[in-house]
Amino acid sequence: MRFRLRVCLLAATMACAALHAHATPGEIDLPAVPLAPQEVADAAPASSPAPGVVTRLMNTAKGFLGVPYLRGGTSAHTGFDCSGFVRAAYEKATGVLLPRRSAEQAEATHKIDRTDLQPGDLVFFNTMRRAFSHVGIYLGDGKFIHSPRTGATVRIEDMNGKYWRLRFNGARRVQALHASAAPISGRALYDLTTH
């Protein structure tokens, strides 16, 4: 119990320092902390995330529109592959650091039914004759955003188009996104869920 209190006080102190340093009310910029797959999956029950968190995630993801595909890419400066794009969008918008590969992202997140998809959920496709070989972020209304392939750029597509409909492999929810009604950071979430 003492450790949790100390961690919470440290997180609060860091949050105040970040707010003061950046002078941007309502925004806390704490470093992201990588979470183990089980920590991401078990952070909270499936529920609706705070609208502000989802909006920030959607805006961040859309801010990467036009960034070129690069196999193994993890940066908007050089390019993204599909899982690098998802990881970067989540880290920048929420502070949650997802695993690097799409199959690992599927394993680290909570399985949901396609009919339960909400904006911010992950959608997976079998594009390379193996499960969970491609990932994107669901935007709502049957649309998702992703970094598709060599020669293409981050773009929005319709999941109901024949190509994607036939290759749909599953939907997952990032439980950490649903853990709090307030904006979350990787550091605070890691501290609160691992001890």
Side-chain angles (χ1 to χ4, degrees), residues 15-39:
C16 290
L19 278 174
H20 181 69
H22 297 292
T24 306
E27 201 171 84
I28 299 172
D29 188 19
L30 296 178
V33 173
L35 300 178
Q38 203 55 44
E39 292 168 345

Side-chain angles (χ1 to χ4, degrees), residues 5-194:
L5 180 57
R6 194 173 319 137
V7 169
C8 290
L9 289 174
L10 175 62
T13 302
M14 291 173 65
C16 290
L19 278 174
H20 181 69
H22 297 292
T24 306
E27 201 171 84
I28 299 172
D29 188 19
L30 296 178
V33 173
L35 300 178
Q38 203 55 44
E39 292 168 345
V40 175
D42 292 341
S47 62
S48 297
V53 174
V54 172
T55 300
R56 190 168 55 244
L57 176 61
M58 298 300 100
N59 290 339
T60 299
K62 289 176 182 177
F64 292 136
L65 284 168
V67 172
Y69 179 92
L70 176 67
R71 185 168 189 222
T74 59
S75 164
H77 301 295
T78 57
F80 291 120
D81 65 9
C82 65
S83 57
F85 161 72
V86 168
R87 185 178 193 201
Y90 261 88
E91 181 180 9
K92 183 174 181 181
T94 70
V96 174
L97 188 59
L98 294 171
R100 175 61 188 94
R101 297 177 58 237
S102 59
E104 294 167 345
Q105 290 175 355
E107 182 183 329
T109 51
H110 181 75
K111 183 177 180 179
I112 58 169
D113 192 77
R114 184 176 181 153
T115 59
D116 293 328
L117 276 168
Q118 296 177 17
D121 289 337
L122 303 183
V123 288
F124 292 88
F125 303 89
N126 181 341
T127 59
M128 301 176 76
R129 297 190 177 130
R130 70 175 187 270
F132 311 115
S133 55
H134 188 71
V135 63
I137 300 172
Y138 185 69
L139 298 174
D141 297 323
K143 306 278 192 236
F144 74 105
I145 186 168
H146 67 133
S147 185
R149 60 178 162 68
T150 301
T153 62
V154 172
R155 63 186 181 206
I156 297 171
E157 299 211 49
D158 190 336
M159 287 178 50
N160 298 314
K162 185 177 179 180
Y163 181 87
W164 297 111
R165 188 178 70 247
L166 292 174
R167 288 164 178 79
F168 180 75
N169 203 203
R172 300 288 189 270
R173 182 155 294 151
V174 178
Q175 294 302 94
L177 187 63
H178 300 260
S180 170
I184 57 174
S185 72
R187 166 82 53 206
L189 183 64
Y190 175 82
D191 291 340
L192 296 175
T193 61
T194 60

